[in-house]
Every structure is written in structure tokens, then in C-alpha cells.
Amino acid sequence: MARAMWLLVCTFMVLAFVASADVVKHTFRVGNLTVKPLCEERVVVAVNGQLPGPTISVREGDTLVVHVINESPYNLTIHWHGILQMLTGWADGPVYVTQCPILPGNSYTYRFNIIKQQGTLWWHAHVSWLRATVYGALIIHPREHRPYPFIKPHKQFPIILGEWWNANVVDLEDESRLPGAAVHVSDAYTINGRPGDLYPCANNNTYKIQVAHGKTYLLRIINAALNNELFFKIAGHNLTVVGIDALYTDPYTTDVVVLAPGQTTGVLLVANATPGSYYMAARPYATAPIPFDSTTTTAILQYKGSTSVAAPLMPVLPEFNDTPTAHKFYSNITALSGWGSELPLHVDEHMFITVGLGLEQCGQNATCTRPSASMNNASFQLPTTLSMLQAHFNGVQGIFTDDFPDTPPLVFDYTNANASQLVSTTLKSTRVKRLAYNSTVEIVFQNTAILSVENHPIHLHGFNFFVLAQGFGNYDNTTHRSMFNLVNPQKRNTIAVPVGGWAVIRFRANNPGVWLMHCHLDVHLSWGLATAFVVDNGPTPSSTLPPPPPDLPRC
Ligand SMILES: *[C@@H]1O[C@H](CO)[C@@H](O)[C@H](O)[C@H]1NC(C)=O
Ligand SMILES: *[C@@H]1O[C@H](CO)[C@@H](O)[C@H](O)[C@H]1NC(C)=O
Ligand SMILES: *[C@@H]1O[C@H](CO)[C@@H](O)[C@H](O)[C@H]1NC(C)=O
Ligand SMILES: *[C@@H]1O[C@H](CO)[C@@H](O)[C@H](O)[C@H]1NC(C)=O
Ligand SMILES: *[C@@H]1O[C@H](CO)[C@@H](O)[C@H](O)[C@H]1NC(C)=O
Ligand SMILES: *[C@@H]1O[C@H](CO)[C@@H](O)[C@H](O)[C@H]1NC(C)=O
Ligand SMILES: *[C@@H]1O[C@H](CO)[C@@H](O)[C@H](O)[C@H]1NC(C)=O
Ligand SMILES: *[C@@H]1O[C@H](CO)[C@@H](O)[C@H](O)[C@H]1NC(C)=O
Ligand SMILES: *[C@@H]1O[C@H](CO)[C@@H](O)[C@H](O)[C@H]1NC(C)=O
Ligand SMILES: *[C@@H]1O[C@H](CO)[C@@H](O)[C@H](O)[C@H]1NC(C)=O
Ligand SMILES: [Cu+2]
């Protein structure tokens, strides 16, 4: 009898739980928008006439339904960066990986559940370089009446860092693939779409937040820039990191944050400085010996009631090549215990993947080369006639092959500058790694010095992964294995692999589908720095990918 009562109570609690989840609906009209962030007016592609696009707010457990109407002149897809898409791979979004593009004039409805995730994520276009202006925040709050695992902030603000060109970004991507292409450096960085006071013609167009003295604020910082990692600082204030990539961290207090494209960082800010105005500012952490946009974007933190008329105080940002500061930040973060799944201690699949740059041949003429990028010397080519997930689901051959190598084809002194002698024309292919359902995977990413070393932010779709260790030089499986943090390793969806170094990640392949893994510098993705995992179905209906929604775009 008592047992039956308990069952009843439990069932009631479960029902109450389910009832608190909502279906959150949005419509994205994606079309032309005329903006003038710098001195000239330009037409860009944007969502609902906003730049950045709308902020989506949900609670853990909700269902999100976004009806995307493509009124732009370009093929379009939207990716929900960091959302695990458990059994909803059809909604992930990378073009020709999980879907064909939404053609101009067409629409597609993305539908997925927010399961076991809380914090700051974002959404962006995942085709060509359209994400330069097609992006916005995706904030996952705790369920109703559930607290944050830190002091309740008085208010919260998304701080979205962007990158701006006085040019059409679709043309820029095409240009980046030309023989001998140089990367077209951007004209500005932005905070919530605005460049800030240090740019020409940008006066009166600076993002501002107002704070009350003594209160605590949560800033949800997102790096939506295309091709640059960014340092972020606020004059006169320390920041306490409480989350990265929608995973809670042990509180970590710092005066500077660094984010690679794709990454997010939640920080608490206590407004305890002398009332006045303070700049928040971002500029690059740049590791490659190539030209980059070295400008600084700013926004203003203003204390309410301050009568000071002095110019805002400017923070001193790290040097562009300050790798020790970046590495200290990236490697010091640890996961808050009690959140997220368990670290797999047994590893089924060991992979060692080189990441770096190279060249590829333009055509039959061997003297014509253009930039290329690769993983294990395989430069990734997107299909053009069908998405990989559709090919996988329907058993269509010829779209990809499952022979992505577990180790590099050539063992060499990866980070020795003389590795540049190994530059040769890398071949294009669509090679994936096949994984059994629920297998555990450990990957060592090793940067190479072919052409030059560089920090590459590697993003994995469909999973969060544990970061066990990171360092410089060549990875050594004996000495470096002893550095692994198996106690409270940080979890992420995007890892900035140290310049001329390595990083080790681990995850459980518990989500059937096709999942892209790629450099989140769009220029490197365009050059082929990617591969994908094909994860088989599990033994039960609840571990089997359902059929695609009826409105999935066709090629
Ligand atoms: C959108 O902008 C593009 C490029 O400026 C232009 O070619 C196109 O005609 C515009 N489309 C609409 C519907 O205004
Ligand atoms: C600044 O912009 C606001 C809103 O667009 C406008 O009302 C105001 O007049 C502008 N101020 C100056 C000095 O241009
Ligand atoms: C920031 O933290 C450092 C180290 O704890 C401390 O020395 C410094 O005074 C703090 N700065 C501010 C503005 O609170
Ligand atoms: C933090 O980073 C510094 C510099 O890289 C390093 O010496 C220190 O051991 C790190 N601390 C933790 C807890 O990771
Ligand atoms: C091959 O390409 C090079 C560089 O683009 C060019 O100078 C040369 O004329 C081409 N040769 C042929 C046979 O097309
Ligand atoms: C990469 O592949 C190309 C083409 O097969 C080959 O010539 C080259 O030696 C390979 N380079 C490395 C570093 O594996
Ligand atoms: C250059 O690379 C080769 C092969 O990787 C290696 O044997 C040699 O020691 C390197 N030379 C120097 C100066 O590091
Ligand atoms: C997958 O692994 C998890 C964690 O070990 C386990 O709880 C679950 O039962 C496994 N599922 C299957 C179908 O093997
Ligand atoms: C590293 O060592 C582990 C444990 O000894 C082994 O299982 C794994 O295959 C090795 N990994 C590589 C990349 O050599
Ligand atoms: C848009 O997508 C369709 C369908 O895959 C494709 O045929 C077409 O070439 C694409 N257009 C562009 C400009 O890439
Ligand atoms: Cu890269």
C-alpha cells in the first residue's frame, strides 16, 4: 500500500515536471537588411530585420520550434550551436551534412528539445559565410523555480562579439578559394552588432548597459566572429566565469576572457567600482603570421546616477600574440561538479588527428595551387547533391566514405618549423569516421607547422566533450597522458587547440546521426578543415534516429 502511494506521488511529480515544459515558437524571416555600422550603407542578410538576430530564451526541458522562411537571395540553413540534438539530427543545420539548403523563397521548420543543457548558446547560418550577419543568442534558463548554481544575477545581458566587412561575405568566401588567395581582413569587430566609439562614423552607435552600484550582473559572452579569436575585458572590473558553452564551471575570477569563434562564456560582474563609465572592449588573439584586423570594438558599462562627464575608462587589452594569457585562461577552467554526464574512463576508439594548413591543386595544372586545410591530411569536401544524413539514413552510396583515418598517414615532427618542407597538395575527399552507438572516443588534436602553426578552434556537432589536457609541441602519449584531468575536466563543444600544440578530448557517441567536426574559423572550414562522425543507431527505439520531418528541404 505504502509502495503504491509512493508510485502515485512519484507519477504526480513526474507529470508536474513535464507540465512545466513549454513549446517555444519563433518565426525567422531571413532577408535583406540595410545597415550602416561604419561610414557606408550596406545590404546584408539578417533575421527579422535585426542585427544580431532575435535572442531565443528557453528553459531546460522546453521544445523549440523555429519556422525559417528564406526571403534572402542565398541558399540558407540555421545551426543551433551547442544544442545536443538528441535524436533530432535533422534539425542540426550544417549544409549538405544534415540537410540540403533552404532555397530562396522556401522554408523549413527546425524542431528539437532542450535536454540536460543550461546556459549560453547561440544560433547561426551554416552555409557559406552568411553567419557573419545571420546569428543570435540562444539562452537556456533553468526550469521554473530552479536556481542557477551561483548568486542570482540582478539582470543579464547577451554580449555577442561579431566581425564586419564592408563587402559581401558570400563573395569573400568565393575569393578565399582562389589560387594564391589572401584572406580579406575584416573592417571591424562588433558588440551586439555595433562597432563602438573607436571606429570612423560609429559615434552614437555604441552598445551601452546600465548597472546599479552593488548589484551583480550576468554577461553571456558569445564569440560570433568569423575568423578571429578575441580577448574581452572591462576596465576596472574583474569577471567571474561561471559557464562555458552552456556547461557550468567552478567560479574562476579573471580580468580578461578569451573566446574562440563558436565559444561562449558566462561571467558574473559585480558593479562595485567607482560610479562612472567603463569601456568593455574586444580585440583579437591572433596566432598566424598573416595579416588580421587589429581594430578594437567597444561597448559602455555605465553606472546609474553617475554624474561624471569624463570619457569612459579604457581597459588595457593583452597583446595580439599573448599566448600565455590565452592559454592560462583556456586551461584553468574546470567543470562544476554535479553537472553533466560522467567522464568515460574506458575508451573504445583512440584517434590522433593532425589539424593544419596546406595547399591543394586548382585543376590539372600542377603549378596552380590554392590554400587548403585538413585533418589527418584529408581535406573535407561537402557533398552537393544530397546531405550526408539523408545518404546515411537511406543507404545512398557515393556521397561519403567511412575511411577517415584514425592516425595521420605520415608521422613527422609535427610542430617543427621545418615541417613546412612537407607542404604538398592535399587531396579533397568526404571521409567520415563511423562509430558504434554508445562507443567512447578519445581524440588527440595535433596542430601541424605545415605552412605555419596556428590555434584552430575545433567544434563538434551533436556532443559536448571533456577536455582532458592541452599543451604545446608534439603530443607524447606517455608524459602527457599523466597530465590528464580525470577529476573535474572542463566540458565544451569547441576547443581552441593551442598554437603549435595539442589538446585531448573525450566523449560518448550516444547520439545517432551524422555530426560534423570542424574548425570554427570559417576560412579554414571553407578550405576543408573538417570531418564527420557517423554514429550508428542503438538497439532500442529510444536510441534510433527517427525519419526526417516531411518539410526537410530537397536538393
Ligand atoms: C537583396 O539584396 C541583394 C544584394 O544587395 C539584391 O541583389 C537583391 O535584389 C535584394 N533582394 C530583395 C528581395 O530585396
Ligand atoms: C543618436 O541616435 C539617437 C537614436 O537614433 C537620436 O535620437 C539622437 O539624436 C542621436 N544623437 C546624435 C548626437 O546624433
Ligand atoms: C581583480 O582580481 C585581482 C586578483 O584577485 C586583484 O588583485 C585585483 O585587485 C582585482 N581587481 C579589481 C578591479 O577588482
Ligand atoms: C593556470 O594557468 C597557469 C598558467 O598557464 C598554470 O601555471 C596553472 O597551473 C593553471 N592552474 C590550474 C588550476 O589549471
Ligand atoms: C599553369 O599555371 C601557372 C600559374 O597559374 C601559369 O603561369 C601557367 O601558364 C599554367 N600552365 C598551363 C599549361 O596552363
Ligand atoms: C598528404 O597527401 C598527399 C596526397 O596523397 C601526399 O602527397 C602527402 O605526402 C601527404 N602529406 C602528409 C603530411 O601526410
Ligand atoms: C627537420 O625535419 C626532419 C624530419 O622531420 C628531422 O629529421 C630533422 O631533424 C629536422 N631538422 C631540424 C633542424 O629540426
Ligand atoms: C550507454 O552508456 C550509458 C553509460 O554507460 C549506459 O547507461 C547506457 O545503458 C548505454 N546504452 C546502451 C544502449 O548500451
Ligand atoms: C595512448 O596510450 C593509451 C594507453 O596506453 C593507448 O590505449 C592509446 O592507444 C594510445 N594512443 C595513441 C594515440 O597512441
Ligand atoms: C543552392 O542549393 C541547390 C540545391 O542543393 C543547388 O543546386 C544550388 O547550386 C545552390 N546554389 C548555390 C548558389 O550554391
Ligand atoms: Cu582553423
Side-chain angles (χ1 to χ4, degrees):
M1 185 65 206
R3 190 188 245 175
M5 274 303 284
W6 257 118
L7 261 176
L8 228 105
V9 170
C10 287
T11 309
F12 178 76
M13 280 167 67
V14 168
L15 285 178
F17 228 179
V18 171
S20 77
D22 292 320
V23 176
V24 177
K25 292 186 179 174
H26 283 261
T27 298
F28 278 14
R29 286 186 179 278
V30 188
N32 284 352
L33 174 70
T34 303
V35 288
K36 194 183 169 192
L38 299 176
C39 307
E40 53 181 287
E41 233 172 43
R42 297 209 56 92
V43 177
V44 298
V45 177
V47 176
N48 297 352
Q50 290 168 250
L51 184 60
T55 293
I56 294 183
S57 285
V58 292
R59 290 182 194 280
E60 184 185 350
D62 285 352
T63 298
L64 182 57
V65 179
V66 186
H67 183 54
V68 176
I69 304 168
N70 184 7
E71 294 171 348
S72 89
Y74 302 107
N75 282 353
L76 181 78
T77 68
I78 306 281
H79 168 54
W80 316 93
H81 185 113
I83 294 283
L84 297 176
Q85 299 292 8
M86 189 59 76
L87 300 176
T88 50
W90 301 109
D92 192 38
V95 72
Y96 299 119
V97 178
T98 60
Q99 67 167 98
C100 293
I102 309 169
L103 301 182
N106 287 39
S107 66
Y108 177 46
T109 302
Y110 294 86
R111 185 186 298 267
F112 48 90
N113 300 323
I114 314 289
I115 303 167
K116 291 190 184 162
Q117 293 192 272
Q118 283 184 29
T120 309
L121 292 175
W122 60 300
W123 54 266
H124 62 77
H126 211 302
V127 47
S128 179
W129 287 7
L130 285 178
R131 76 172 178 87
T133 54
V134 178
Y135 65 88
L138 199 176
I139 308 223
I140 310 170
H141 298 280
R143 284 188 166 194
E144 218 168 352
H145 311 305
R146 297 280 180 105
Y148 297 100
F150 45 78
I151 179 174
K152 186 171 190 278
H154 179 60
K155 268 192 180 154
Q156 28 187 304
F157 303 95
I159 301 286
I160 315 182
L161 311 176
E163 188 167 8
W164 170 264
W165 280 265
N166 283 322
N168 180 316
V169 289
V170 174
D171 297 343
L172 288 183
E173 190 202 20
D174 295 341
E175 281 171 28
S176 79
R177 289 175 157 145
L178 295 176
V183 179
H184 189 119
V185 302
S186 52
D187 295 294
Y189 300 101
T190 55
I191 296 180
N192 292 344
R194 306 188 209 182
D197 296 347
L198 306 185
Y199 292 91
C201 312
N203 288 325
N204 196 24
N205 192 18
T206 297
Y207 179 74
K208 236 177 234 183
I209 59 182
Q210 291 223 318
V211 294
H213 196 270
K215 300 259 197 259
T216 298
Y217 296 84
L218 174 59
L219 306 185
R220 299 176 176 275
I221 314 166
I222 296 165
N223 187 351
L226 258 72
N227 294 325
N228 286 282
E229 300 193 19
L230 295 163
F231 286 117
F232 174 88
K233 237 177 136 163
I234 304 184
H237 295 76
N238 281 335
L239 304 169
T240 300
V241 176
V242 291
I244 52 172
D245 296 6
L247 292 150
Y248 291 124
T249 65
D250 289 319
Y252 176 70
T253 299
T254 174
D255 62 345
V256 62
V257 168
V258 59
L259 304 97
Q263 294 181 333
T264 75
T265 307
V267 299
L268 293 176
L269 170 126
V270 184
N272 59 2
T274 309
S277 281
Y278 298 86
Y279 274 124
M280 50 183 102
R283 74 174 197 183
Y285 163 50
T287 56
I290 52 167
F292 61 94
D293 173 0
S294 59
T295 60
T296 303
T297 179
T298 55
I300 295 171
L301 180 82
Q302 191 163 43
Y303 279 71
K304 281 179 194 158
S306 160
T307 51
S308 165
V309 290
L313 205 64
M314 185 70 190
V316 179
L317 284 148
E319 292 299 320
F320 299 114
N321 61 358
D322 190 346
T323 291
T325 294
H327 183 66
K328 181 177 178 200
F329 180 84
Y330 283 141
S331 59
N332 269 195
I333 306 238
T334 49
L336 187 63
S337 75
W339 293 87
S341 56
E342 301 252 303
L343 170 70
L345 294 177
H346 169 82
V347 174
D348 298 311
E349 302 274 358
H350 283 274
M351 299 181 78
F352 185 100
I353 302 181
T354 56
V355 294
L357 306 179
L359 296 173
E360 78 183 44
Q361 214 170 300
C362 308
Q364 296 306 312
N365 182 345
T367 59
C368 171
T369 55
R370 62 181 166 211
S372 164
S374 59
M375 288 188 167
N376 278 348
N377 203 34
S379 187
F380 190 75
Q381 170 85 60
L382 282 173
T384 54
T385 55
L386 190 64
S387 77
M388 298 167 76
L389 188 57
Q390 284 165 290
H392 168 62
F393 190 82
N394 295 315
V396 178
Q397 301 296 306
I399 300 296
F400 61 82
T401 55
D402 59 5
D403 58 349
F404 181 82
D406 286 348
T407 53
L410 189 69
V411 172
F412 58 99
D413 187 357
Y414 304 108
T415 51
N416 189 316
N418 84 1
S420 57
Q421 293 163 10
L422 289 169
V423 68
S424 59
T425 48
T426 299
L427 301 177
K428 278 265 184 289
S429 56
T430 311
R431 300 163 81 183
V432 307
K433 166 77 179 171
R434 199 168 191 121
L435 295 172
Y437 175 76
N438 233 13
S439 57
T440 54
V441 187
E442 179 180 297
I443 304 175
V444 177
F445 292 111
Q446 174 69 61
N447 185 209
T448 70
I450 296 178
L451 284 191
S452 74
V453 291
E454 179 165 3
N455 184 311
H456 296 278
I458 306 296
H459 172 49
L460 176 61
H461 289 231
F463 305 93
N464 290 319
F465 49 74
F466 295 90
V467 180
L468 302 186
Q470 44 193 313
F472 297 95
N474 295 337
Y475 174 75
D476 180 301
N477 201 27
T478 312
T479 55
H480 294 145
R481 190 157 278 273
S482 66
M483 291 167 49
F484 284 8
N485 178 352
L486 304 175
V487 178
N488 59 355
Q490 60 178 263
K491 271 182 102 178
R492 282 197 165 282
N493 62 52
T494 306
I495 172 73
V497 179
V499 51
W502 50 269
V504 184
I505 67 162
R506 208 181 270 184
F507 67 98
R508 177 181 296 277
N510 59 358
N511 193 5
V514 178
W515 307 107
L516 190 64
M517 181 169 77
H518 64 97
C519 182
H520 218 281
L521 307 182
D522 270 24
V523 63
H524 294 171
L525 174 57
S526 302
W527 291 348
L529 218 172
T531 184
F533 291 102
V534 171
V535 180
D536 289 331
N537 283 329
T540 58
S542 66
S543 55
T544 298
L545 179 70
D551 63 337
L552 185 75
R554 289 168 210 278
C555 277

